[in-house]
Amino acid sequence: MSSMPSTPTATIHAVFLDVDGTYADYGIVPEGHVQAVRSARAAGHKVLLCTGRPVSMLPESILAAGFDGLVASAGAYAEVDGEVLLDRRFPADLAARTVAALDAHGAVYILEAQDSLHVAPEREERLRLIIEEHFRRAPDGRASGSSAILGSVQLTANRADTAFAKISVFEAPVPMEQIALEIGADIAVVANSIADDGRHAGELYQRGISKADGVAAAIAHLGISRENTIAVGDGQNDLEMIAFAGVGIAIEGSSPELLALADHTAAPPHREGLVDAFARLGLF
């Protein structure tokens, strides 16, 4: 894996940034990353978030740098300059089967829609404990990142009728792969960047949808070619995005599979790795 070249170019690039573990650390964005985004946009480049989070889980503290658009729910949703390009939700029958399977196992989960988050009333207390425990692990000891999730959660009794794009499972008594098999072949599972794998956590999404779908829709709208696309990520739901982009950057410490796909690496958020990455790629 080569070091990144430091050859500025007049070419306009589209830059897609994963949020958790890439742009932000425990929900907190380092100031260097804010300035890197603003400088790249001032130079004429398009910078977009590309996250597994739904829009409802993106607080102003994460959006504050200013972005040209975003891909949310791991590719199920995309918007550029406020125009919605993709908005894929679970079909009603698949939604009902998924909720039924999760409830049968007593799983703690959130149904993620772009405008709202839904949890079973009887699971809300356990959900809050799990999420607050995670964010207390932040290096500075702050738990403020948890508010982006807990502040948007609604207690929803009749969840089978809820329109949603993805599900985050924070605790289940059996492995996520087993639950996915029970639901059917049109469901896939990926590791959850927030919850502890020891709790059988993960994210359920419609098979065949990935962040690369949102990236493709966004660059088509922007008129930017695939080879002029840069993607940065650290998780398993970034694999397709990194493979699709003209330049793929993996955060140090990512899985071997992601590192093998990437063209370059960057330091994690607590070391403000995007600052050096953007500079080496001539984005400002």
Side-chain angles (χ1 to χ4, degrees), residues 91-104:
D93 63 330
L94 180 59
R97 280 190 282 126
T98 302
V99 168
L102 289 167
D103 287 346

Side-chain angles (χ1 to χ4, degrees), residues 131-150:
I131 292 175
E132 289 178 344
E133 177 189 346
H134 168 79
F135 283 99
R136 277 197 296 271
R137 300 174 194 165
D140 59 7
R142 291 183 295 175
S144 55
S146 64
S147 63
I149 302 173
L150 296 175

Side-chain angles (χ1 to χ4, degrees), residues 203-238:
E203 298 181 1
L204 297 173
Y205 62 98
Q206 292 185 71
R207 186 176 298 279
I209 294 178
S210 77
K211 287 185 178 183
D213 297 326
V215 172
I219 62 174
H221 182 85
L222 291 166
I224 294 176
S225 64
R226 180 176 175 179
E227 56 264 32
N228 291 325
T229 302
I230 299 167
V232 193
D234 75 313
Q236 290 304 99
N237 66 358
D238 295 316

